[in-house]
Amino acid sequence: RLASWLLLQADDAAEPSVDHDLTLAELGGTLGAAGESICRALGSLRRQGVVAVDDRHIDLLDVPALRRAARLG
């Protein structure tokens, strides 16, 4: 769900990124997941080099991998 949300928010821009004003708990509520689950999923994507996270700004570094993750989820 997180991968799909990131892709929708980024709207496939030339340099895809997402700026948001949601806490992890609020984002979890939006996606129907606990804030802790969102934190773990975002951390996993970061460790895999798929995204880079800076507070409430998320750079999508590997859009094809994010699309694969969205299909699997």
Side-chain angles (χ1 to χ4, degrees):
R1 290 183 225 163
L2 177 61
S4 295
W5 183 83
L6 289 169
L7 290 166
L8 285 172
Q9 298 302 309
D11 198 32
D12 289 327
E15 293 182 27
S17 65
V18 175
D19 289 301
H20 66 92
D21 59 356
L22 301 171
T23 65
L24 290 174
E26 291 167 337
L27 182 54
T30 298
L31 299 176
E36 290 177 0
S37 296
I38 297 299
C39 185
R40 281 193 300 272
L42 200 51
S44 176
L45 291 171
R46 184 185 52 76
R47 284 188 300 279
Q48 294 172 45
V50 177
V51 300
V53 180
D54 182 18
D55 194 28
R56 294 185 182 196
H57 177 85
I58 303 169
D59 287 312
L60 309 186
L61 304 175
D62 188 344
V63 173
L66 199 56
R67 286 190 181 124
R68 286 190 298 276
R71 282 193 300 272
L72 293 174

